[in-house]
Amino acid sequence: MPRTIRTLTASEVEMLVDWAAGEGWNPGLGDAVAFRAADPEGFVGAFDDGEMVAGVSAVAYGAGFGFIGLYICRPDRRGEGHGRAVWDAGMARLGNRIIGLDGVAEQRANYRRKGFVPAYETVRYSGRAVGLAGASDVLPVTTARTAEILAYDRRCFPAPREAFLREWLQPPQTALVSAGPAGIAGYGVARRCREGFKIGPLFAEDMNIALALVAGLAGKTEDEALHIDVPATQVEFTAMLQAAGMVPGFTTTRMYKGGKPGNAPSKVFGITTLELG
């Protein structure tokens, strides 16, 4: 039976996320539902004799931006061309959009050959953050704040993503916002993963607001380990995380094909996910 390429069902996206856990990527427990909310057609699989053998996410955020992630071939079927087949299908789906990805070091040269240009390094900081100062204006996200958060997110992320955020901000995720008389100055989300909690996004006007959001999220995550994927350009912020007991580890490179998006990178203290940008 020849290989077939098609859009994944909801249960198959769950399977792809489970594969990511098997690769040691530590995805969130409810990631598949939120990921599909971003773009239900944005997950592609290769099937051989009816079994999924490779998959990729190729999520389109409107007409101008897309993101490639969850690029996995089943270990027992590698070297047979299935990974290349889903990659080609995902890239074809995203077409002429600006396309982003977060690539591991050993694949960076490969992505360069495919036309992707490095933008910055991302470093995962992990641990139990202690001693960070909270702030009285860091509050739980409520439905009344959703429209403001969507507008703020658009300044920090390369494209609108309302459907995704409406799912991402819901319990059991913990979502906090820094809000005062002048409006929103930042927000952050923590989600339970296979191990500990990941914080992302973490967007803020400045480092002190970002640290206050981390302190607030740390206080609501049962004293478990936190993980934040931080752009390496945030040097002062990462120094403060290390002083609070978090340690650097896993590193990726954010890369773009087709140009750079027009968001404000100075406000990004933690990316949302390595899978969807």
Side-chain angles (χ1 to χ4, degrees), residues 201-215:
L202 181 63
F203 297 157
E205 292 299 297
D206 60 44
M207 179 187 72
N208 290 329
I209 294 169
L211 290 169
L213 286 164
V214 173

Side-chain angles (χ1 to χ4, degrees), residues 100-241:
L101 60 77
D102 287 306
V104 295
E106 54 266 31
Q107 289 296 327
R108 185 163 55 189
N110 183 37
Y111 293 138
R112 275 183 178 274
R113 287 192 293 271
K114 296 177 186 296
F116 285 83
V117 178
Y120 57 83
E121 299 296 306
T122 298
V123 183
R124 178 165 297 171
Y125 283 81
S126 301
R128 292 168 175 80
V130 295
L132 296 178
S136 60
D137 61 356
V138 171
L139 306 167
V141 169
T142 62
T143 303
R145 288 281 188 190
T146 301
E148 290 178 272
I149 289 175
L150 291 173
Y152 188 82
D153 187 83
R154 183 63 189 90
R155 295 162 58 190
C156 306
F157 190 78
R161 49 178 182 171
E162 179 176 345
F164 169 77
L165 284 180
R166 288 189 181 279
E167 186 68 41
W168 201 246
L169 294 170
Q170 296 298 316
Q173 273 83 274
T174 298
L176 298 179
V177 62
S178 174
I184 287 178
Y187 85 99
V189 179
R191 76 193 196 279
R192 180 175 284 283
C193 295
R194 267 61 169 183
E195 187 273 316
F197 288 79
K198 284 184 182 176
I199 293 178
L202 181 63
F203 297 157
E205 292 299 297
D206 60 44
M207 179 187 72
N208 290 329
I209 294 169
L211 290 169
L213 286 164
V214 173
L217 292 167
K220 294 181 178 294
T221 51
E222 304 173 24
D223 197 35
E224 293 191 45
L226 300 176
H227 309 279
I228 314 174
D229 293 305
V230 185
T233 51
Q234 297 287 10
V235 176
E236 290 184 75
F237 179 65
T238 56
M240 294 296 290
L241 292 181

Side-chain angles (χ1 to χ4, degrees), residues 5-23:
I5 306 292
R6 64 167 173 80
T7 301
L8 300 183
T9 65
S11 62
E12 289 162 349
V13 175
E14 293 274 8
M15 183 186 300
L16 186 58
V17 172
D18 285 341
W19 286 5
E23 295 290 322

